[in-house]
Amino acid sequence: MIGMARERRLAEIFVEVADSLVEDFDVIDLLHRLSARCLELLDVSAAGILLADAQGELQIIAASDEHARLLELFALQHDQGPCVECYRSGAARANIDLTGAEATDGWPRFAARARETGYVMTHAIPLRLRNRVVGALNLFQTTPRRLGDGDIALAQALADVATIAILQQRTLEQSHVENSQLENALTSRILVEQVKGVLAERWNTSVDEAFAVFRSYARARHLRLSELAARIIEGDFDTAAIPAPAPAPAPAPSEDPRG
């Protein structure tokens, strides 16, 4: 995206986010949308958002696709990677060459797994408001194109919006309320992940496609993702009511060159 078109789209996205920040909004859906917007605005391949729980332990809260989610999970399991480092230091790291030994010296296992996934460059942006850091945004690229200062500033702005969405300014000084919000967001994420797996298995489709259909169904009926997920897990909602994704079209038969 370039020029005026990008500026117009950026304004639309921030209006979209502002309209979402109402009482009792769906933070899981909002953060997944922000992950997708990072791909659109920054021309990166994938994005993931990690959030610290009440004990300061990072958890996956949203990702643009399943590949990014699994890579972030690998980082958490091995306690290494740019996002983990970014959260602890509170400092952004941009244009990290995942193919260079020097750049990835602190987390070689993560770098190797990232390369296996197809990523060659990454960026880690803190989720912060003033001096508070509550998580990190990780961006991945399958090409070695460097992000400029303007792109990094925009990524930080999107991360700041995510932070405000999670904490909400009116409760920043009420630690018990803040911790409750963080725990609720993380609990909701777990329910949604469970339902993604259930639907993917039921429909024999990918987790990403199952989530897209589940999310579309919930949004069309103004249902919170976490509430619908909880009903499905508890057996109070028949998933047959959610239309299964259409099967992929079969490839057209190739013509016999012999006629």
Side-chain angles (χ1 to χ4, degrees):
M1 301 181 70
I2 58 175
M4 292 298 295
R6 189 190 193 208
E7 291 183 9
R8 187 180 304 112
R9 185 59 183 135
L10 179 58
E12 291 171 353
I13 288 171
F14 276 95
V15 169
E16 173 190 40
V17 171
D19 287 343
S20 300
L21 296 179
V22 296
E23 186 176 358
D24 201 32
F25 69 95
D26 192 338
V27 66
I28 301 296
D29 183 58
L30 177 61
L31 295 179
H32 274 284
R33 273 189 284 157
L34 277 175
S35 297
R37 299 301 180 254
C38 286
L39 274 60
E40 179 182 351
L41 289 171
L42 300 169
D43 195 26
V44 295
S45 305
I49 297 176
L50 301 182
L51 178 66
D53 60 20
Q55 288 72 46
E57 298 294 326
L58 285 174
Q59 307 286 342
I60 304 167
I61 193 71
S64 59
D65 59 44
E66 188 67 4
H67 293 301
R69 190 188 75 84
L70 292 176
L71 182 57
E72 296 285 33
L73 181 60
F74 181 89
L76 296 181
Q77 289 173 337
H78 294 83
D79 193 31
Q80 63 172 249
C83 234
V84 175
E85 181 180 289
C86 175
Y87 166 67
R88 290 174 177 164
S89 69
R93 285 198 60 188
N95 297 310
I96 304 170
D97 180 6
L98 290 168
T99 66
E102 183 177 351
T104 61
D105 181 59
W107 17 272
R109 298 180 69 180
F110 172 86
R113 178 58 64 92
R115 291 193 300 270
E116 290 173 6
T117 307
Y119 303 132
V120 297
M121 187 166 285
T122 188
H123 320 268
I125 311 295
L127 266 61
R128 68 185 180 208
L129 189 60
R130 302 184 183 94
N131 295 322
R132 311 182 70 162
V133 181
V134 299
L137 166 68
N138 222 170
L139 306 172
F140 300 99
Q141 292 177 236
T142 56
T143 62
R145 183 183 66 86
R146 293 175 63 85
L147 294 185
D149 292 343
D151 286 329
I152 299 302
L154 175 54
Q156 185 64 68
L158 292 170
D160 292 345
V161 167
T163 307
I164 295 172
I166 294 164
L167 298 179
Q168 300 185 69
Q169 285 182 314
R170 65 180 181 271
T171 62
L172 283 176
E173 302 308 320
Q174 303 174 33
S175 60
H176 65 286
V177 175
E178 177 186 319
N179 286 338
S180 175
Q181 287 177 320
L182 296 176
E183 290 301 322
N184 287 341
L186 292 169
T187 299
S188 298
R189 187 269 307 169
I190 292 170
L191 292 173
V192 171
E193 291 297 334
Q194 290 175 339
V195 167
K196 285 163 59 176
V198 168
L199 295 178
E201 182 177 2
R202 185 160 301 171
W203 294 333
N204 191 29
T205 190
S206 71
V207 172
D208 287 335
E209 187 172 17
F211 177 64
V213 173
F214 167 74
R215 183 178 169 209
S216 177
Y217 180 89
R219 294 189 68 187
R221 289 155 182 80
H222 305 289
L223 300 172
R224 292 167 60 89
L225 297 181
S226 56
E227 292 174 355
L228 181 56
R231 290 177 60 190
I232 292 174
I233 296 300
E234 293 168 2
D236 294 335
F237 182 89
D238 186 359
T239 55
I242 305 177
S254 58
E255 295 185 2
D256 190 336
R258 296 172 297 180

